[in-house]
Structure formats: C-alpha cells, structure tokens
C-alpha cells in the first residue's frame, strides 16, 4: 500500500500524559500536513512541512504541541500534558510540492486520541 | 480563502444522481473550487476541482456557474458507498491548507 499511513490508529491516555503520533507520507511527496478534527466538525489545519522545514503553523498549535519531520520523510506530532480538549482525530496528509501548481492532498486514516 | 455555504444534510436514492450544492459568493478570480469527501472513520478523499469550466472525472462532475458564485457536485449514479460528508472548499492553487467547514452529510438510501 503506497498511501499515507498513521500510527497508532487509536490512543487512549490520561490527562497530563504526553503522546506522540507518527505519519508516513507517500514516498515521493515532499509536503506533509497535520490537521485536527473534532466530532461533527471538518478537519482544521495545524501545520505543514516542506521537506524537513516547518513553514506554517496554525494558531491552534499551542505550545504543548510540537511537530517534527527530521529527515523530510516521516513526521511526528507530540502533545505534552494532554488535556481533555485535545481529544480529537489527528489527520496527516501529504502532497507533491509543485511550485506553481495544484497540490492535491492525500490523507491518512487518522489517529483518534481520547484523553480521559 | 473565500467561505462556502453548504446544506448540512441531504438524502439520495441509490442509483439516482446526487446533486450537492455549494455557495461561494465571495470567491476571487484566482480561487479554485475543490470537493473532498470523508467516509465515516476515514481521512478525507479528493474528488474533483475546477476554476471556471465544468469538470468531469471518473468519480463526479463539477458544474460551476458562470459568475462562479456557486457550484454543484454531481454523483451521477449514487451508491451506498457514496454515503459520506462532502466538503466544498475554495482556495488558491498554491495555498498550503484546506479550510473544510462542516460540509454536507449525504445519505444514500437503498
């Protein structure tokens, strides 16, 4: 399967714990995106990478959130000191980094986080 | 990016055409209209996009009005597998994020 993969698919944690999610993009894609989706809402943009550089961050990405893409391939999203409001689906997407053209985003299946 | 307005829900009989409307009255000249859908418990899936002209692919057709202030996504022969939330998004081609809104929940009825 050459699609976007995410691990784990589900995570249950207690409030105050740290969690880390992984995303493996489509291999030739140099752009990677993180979104968050709460129940009944559409996905909301968090951040995106061009290769290993994090080029844009949403105001939704508080100081407790950190994302990395150290070698320009897979990415991790860490949430420190989780809060119940962090409970959501965390979606990863990737796209080709065409300089002046359309960049269709391909989404992974998501990681569902439940903070108790 | 311009905002879009979609009905919260629609039903369609299996085998019939599903016509999903979207209003984007503040769209600017360089903004495209994109459609994604999200089947339950899956990530969003790209369907189609267009600028001015009507577009068709193996999944759907996109009809954009001449003034570009609204569009319709057409699924020509809806199946039960088309039950999903459909998102209409307007954005410039080079934008890095997608603003999804709340979409239209399409239910295909047997």
């Amino acid at each position: 399967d050459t699609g976007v993969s995410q691990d784990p698919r589900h995570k249950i944690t207690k409030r105050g714990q740290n969690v880390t999610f992984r995303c493996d993009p489509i291999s030739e894609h140099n752009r990677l995106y993180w979104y968050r989706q709460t129940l009944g809402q559409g996905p909301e943009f968090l951040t995106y990478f061009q290769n290993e550089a994090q080029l844009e961050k949403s105001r939704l990405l508080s100081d407790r959130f950190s994302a990395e893409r150290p070698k320009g391939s897979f990415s991790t999203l860490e949430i420190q000191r989780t809060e119940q409001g962090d409970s959501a689906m965390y979606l990863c997407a990737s796209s080709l980094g065409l300089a002046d053209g359309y960049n269709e985003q391909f989404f992974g299946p998501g990681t569902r986080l439940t903070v108790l | 990016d311009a905002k879009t307005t979609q009905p919260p829900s629609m039903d369609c009989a299996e085998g019939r055409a599903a016509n999903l409307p979207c209003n984007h009255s503040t769209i600017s000249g360089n903004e495209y209209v994109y459609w994604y859908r999200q089947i339950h418990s899956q990530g969003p899936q790209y369907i189609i996009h267009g600028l001015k002209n009507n577009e068709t692919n193996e999944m759907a057709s996109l009809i954009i009005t001449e003034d570009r202030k609204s569009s319709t996504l057409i699924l020509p022969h809806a199946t039960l597998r088309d039950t999903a939330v459909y998102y209409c998004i307007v954005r410039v081609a080079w934008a890095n994020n997608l603003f999804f809104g709340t979409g239209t929940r399409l239910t295909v009825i047997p």
Side-chain angles (χ1 to χ4, degrees):
Chain A
D1 188 344
T2 57
V4 177
S5 62
Q6 293 187 245
D7 184 69
R9 294 291 309 276
H10 304 274
K11 177 71 177 179
I12 299 174
T13 190
K14 293 183 179 179
R15 187 177 56 185
Q17 298 295 305
N18 300 341
V19 294
T20 300
F21 310 140
R22 176 179 171 123
C23 171
D24 286 89
I26 294 171
S27 59
E28 64 267 28
H29 287 181
N30 55 19
R31 291 190 177 181
L32 186 147
Y33 313 78
W34 285 98
Y35 290 79
R36 181 181 73 180
Q37 185 173 24
T38 54
L39 199 62
Q41 302 297 315
E44 297 172 291
F45 171 78
L46 291 178
T47 188
Y48 108 95
F49 291 83
Q50 172 88 23
N51 298 313
E52 66 275 10
Q54 188 174 17
L55 297 183
E56 188 171 345
K57 292 194 285 188
S58 160
R59 58 179 172 78
L60 294 175
L61 208 67
S62 76
D63 291 345
R64 296 184 297 104
F65 287 67
S66 63
E68 295 183 344
R69 195 182 182 198
K71 297 183 180 179
S73 56
F74 74 91
S75 175
T76 58
L77 177 67
E78 181 183 15
I79 308 175
Q80 296 182 326
R81 305 180 304 281
T82 53
E83 301 173 357
Q84 288 183 326
D86 297 330
S87 295
M89 175 77 82
Y90 290 85
L91 293 159
C92 176
S94 69
S95 72
L96 290 169
L98 301 177
D100 58 353
Y102 166 67
N103 289 287
E104 176 189 341
Q105 295 185 21
F106 293 83
F107 284 81
T111 295
R112 181 167 295 285
L113 172 67
T114 301
V115 182
L116 302 176
Chain B
D1 293 336
K3 291 192 68 175
T4 63
T5 304
Q6 299 178 254
S9 64
M10 293 181 64
D11 292 339
C12 178
E14 188 178 16
R16 302 296 294 270
N19 297 282
L20 292 94
C22 179
N23 287 323
H24 32 79
S25 58
T26 60
I27 192 170
S28 59
N30 60 356
E31 287 183 312
Y32 288 72
V33 179
Y34 296 83
W35 284 83
Y36 280 73
R37 75 179 182 183
Q38 188 172 23
I39 295 170
H40 183 61
S41 296
Q42 297 183 21
Q45 176 192 23
Y46 165 81
I47 301 173
I48 199 167
H49 77 283
L51 182 63
K52 296 180 184 178
N53 301 321
N54 299 337
E55 302 286 346
T56 296
N57 63 20
E58 65 279 4
M59 289 183 66
S61 295
L62 174 60
I63 308 298
I64 302 174
T65 59
E66 190 170 346
D67 63 8
R68 303 186 71 236
K69 292 185 176 181
S70 65
S71 60
T72 302
L73 178 75
I74 301 173
L75 308 178
H77 305 286
T79 71
L80 298 179
R81 288 191 297 271
D82 292 322
T83 292
V85 178
Y86 288 77
Y87 297 98
C88 170
I89 300 167
V90 294
R91 62 188 277 249
V92 293
W94 56 87
N96 297 312
N97 59 10
L98 296 171
F99 179 76
F100 280 86
T102 53
T104 295
R105 180 174 299 278
L106 175 69
T107 302
V108 180
I109 302 169

